[in-house]
Amino acid sequence: MITTFAAALNAGLRKALEDDPKVLLMGEDIGRLGGVFRVTDTLQKDFGNNRVVDTPLAESGIVGTAFGMALRGYRPVCEIQFDGFVYPAFDQIVSQVAKIHYRTQGKVKAPLTIRIPFGGGIGSVEHHSESPEAYFAHTAGLRVVAPSTPADAYHLIRQAIALDDPVIFFEPKRRYWDKAEVDFGTEPELPMDRARVCATGTDATVVAYGGTVATALTSAKIAETEGHLLEVIDLRSLSPIDFDTIESSVTKTGRLVVVHEAPVFGGLGAEIAARITERCFYHLEAPVLRVGGFDIPYPPAKLEKHHLPDPDRILAAVDRSLAA
């Protein structure tokens, strides 16, 4: 079935609600309105306002309440309306949610999923186009994932909700309206923490996640017309990271470019570059390069096209790597 990214998420949430009466959704305007991006459209009508809960405008309260419910055996799914609104809940997430399993020596679990639309590309105003994934990937005790396709959106949200660990679920908002084939009757092809090789190649590896995967694939098609075969890897899981898949690819290609929307400084690309340099030192033909947002607060909407990685910037990095 051809469906949009947002509709696939809706289907995944619906299936989770049907399969487990302990699953409930919480967030601002997710019930009657169906969410800002309509990801939860019709779910309150079908499951009632006790399981699809419209909350006050208080992210700390949303996550704090959901955390308490998770400790009592429920599986809450919180929606943070926009990425830039998650910071009021940051203390709850990193100080309590992430630590409870370790603090209790494994006796207490926190099956809590926090959905966050992230990234730019939709011309939003300030605080609506952040990329805060590095904050959470740095926090031990959290799983962090970012689907890039409708099929992954459907399967990953179900896997996240079923997990006993807390999951930060980043949704690339500029891909909500992308369409692709989704087979709702199949099981996931990959475990939740496994990366996917989206395009095979021999000249260089390009690693991306979330909204930049489609950009990387476009870059690979352009590179092929120029005689270069790029291997594109969709990271999918940002914590833990599937370094084995990346290592296998880089061992073959000898070159690596990492792409993300977040600023390059201190971003996930830095961790990937360091780890792959350690693991593939004698296979690398060039330094690992990073393409990302600039080290500035997210720019006004009219300037974001200059801020976000595009095929030109990715291919310029590939050229630098091939020339090394």
Side-chain angles (χ1 to χ4, degrees):
M1 176 180 179
I2 301 295
T3 190
T4 66
F5 192 104
L9 276 173
N10 181 282
L13 292 168
R14 177 179 294 277
K15 188 71 168 66
L17 287 162
E18 291 172 346
D19 290 348
D20 188 345
K22 292 293 187 180
V23 173
L24 62 120
L25 314 184
M26 304 171 60
E28 301 162 6
D29 299 320
I30 70 166
R32 292 179 62 186
L33 181 66
V36 171
F37 298 102
R38 304 300 185 266
V39 169
T40 54
D41 194 34
T42 73
L43 295 181
Q44 188 180 74
K45 178 176 67 72
D46 294 340
F47 293 94
N49 56 15
N50 288 326
R51 295 192 67 197
V52 182
V53 183
D54 279 316
T55 67
L57 302 178
E59 286 76 18
S60 181
I62 294 169
V63 174
T65 301
F67 180 48
M69 298 186 77
L71 298 183
R72 299 298 295 174
Y74 290 89
R75 293 185 177 273
V77 182
C78 300
E79 177 180 302
I80 304 297
Q81 201 168 74
F82 281 92
D83 35 33
F85 301 166
V86 73
Y87 302 118
F90 191 78
D91 182 42
Q92 295 278 8
I93 296 170
V94 304
S95 298
Q96 304 299 330
V97 173
K99 292 179 170 58
I100 191 67
H101 189 85
Y102 185 82
R103 185 184 294 142
T104 62
Q105 298 183 349
K107 295 181 178 64
V108 177
K109 299 178 175 61
L112 168 61
T113 301
I114 302 173
R115 296 180 41 240
I116 307 175
F118 86 122
I122 64 169
S124 288
V125 297
E126 190 177 17
H127 306 309
H128 290 67
S129 299
E130 305 293 317
S131 293
E133 59 270 22
Y135 294 130
F136 298 103
H138 180 74
T139 303
L142 297 176
R143 299 276 193 126
V144 184
V145 298
S148 68
T149 66
D152 258 355
Y154 174 73
H155 290 300
L156 278 174
I157 192 63
R158 293 178 58 205
Q159 289 172 307
I161 295 169
L163 201 67
D164 285 335
D165 294 327
V167 180
I168 307 297
F169 195 92
F170 282 110
E171 302 166 8
K173 64 175 80 76
R174 62 171 159 151
R175 303 300 177 196
Y176 274 139
W177 301 276
D178 287 4
K179 292 183 178 180
E181 181 74 30
V182 180
D183 187 345
F184 295 113
T186 61
E187 291 302 309
E189 294 180 1
L190 295 171
M192 186 175 166
D193 57 359
R194 188 73 56 81
R196 173 182 286 110
V197 178
C198 302
T200 58
T202 55
D203 295 326
T205 301
V206 178
V207 169
Y209 58 86
T212 58
V213 173
T215 311
L217 288 169
T218 299
S219 302
K221 291 179 180 178
I222 296 171
E224 188 171 1
T225 67
E226 300 172 349
H228 301 306
L229 297 178
L230 305 184
E231 184 143 296
V232 178
I233 295 177
D234 177 359
L235 211 53
R236 301 175 73 247
S237 174
L238 313 186
S239 182
I241 290 175
D242 179 9
F243 287 108
D244 289 344
T245 295
I246 304 172
E247 179 182 355
S248 176
S249 177
V250 173
T251 299
K252 175 178 63 174
T253 66
R255 292 173 169 84
L256 175 61
V257 174
V258 186
V259 184
H260 52 65
E261 292 187 23
V264 168
F265 183 82
L268 287 186
E271 178 65 26
I272 295 170
R275 292 290 186 102
I276 293 303
T277 299
E278 291 174 357
R279 295 174 66 156
C280 301
F281 184 80
Y282 293 105
H283 296 279
L284 285 168
E285 301 291 339
V288 178
L289 299 179
R290 293 169 289 162
V291 179
F294 299 110
D295 295 330
I296 58 173
Y298 198 88
K302 291 182 178 180
L303 298 177
E304 68 176 359
K305 67 179 181 180
H306 303 293
H307 179 74
L308 296 173
D310 61 12
D312 285 342
R313 290 174 59 196
I314 294 172
L315 292 173
V318 170
D319 288 344
R320 284 173 55 204
S321 182
L322 292 172

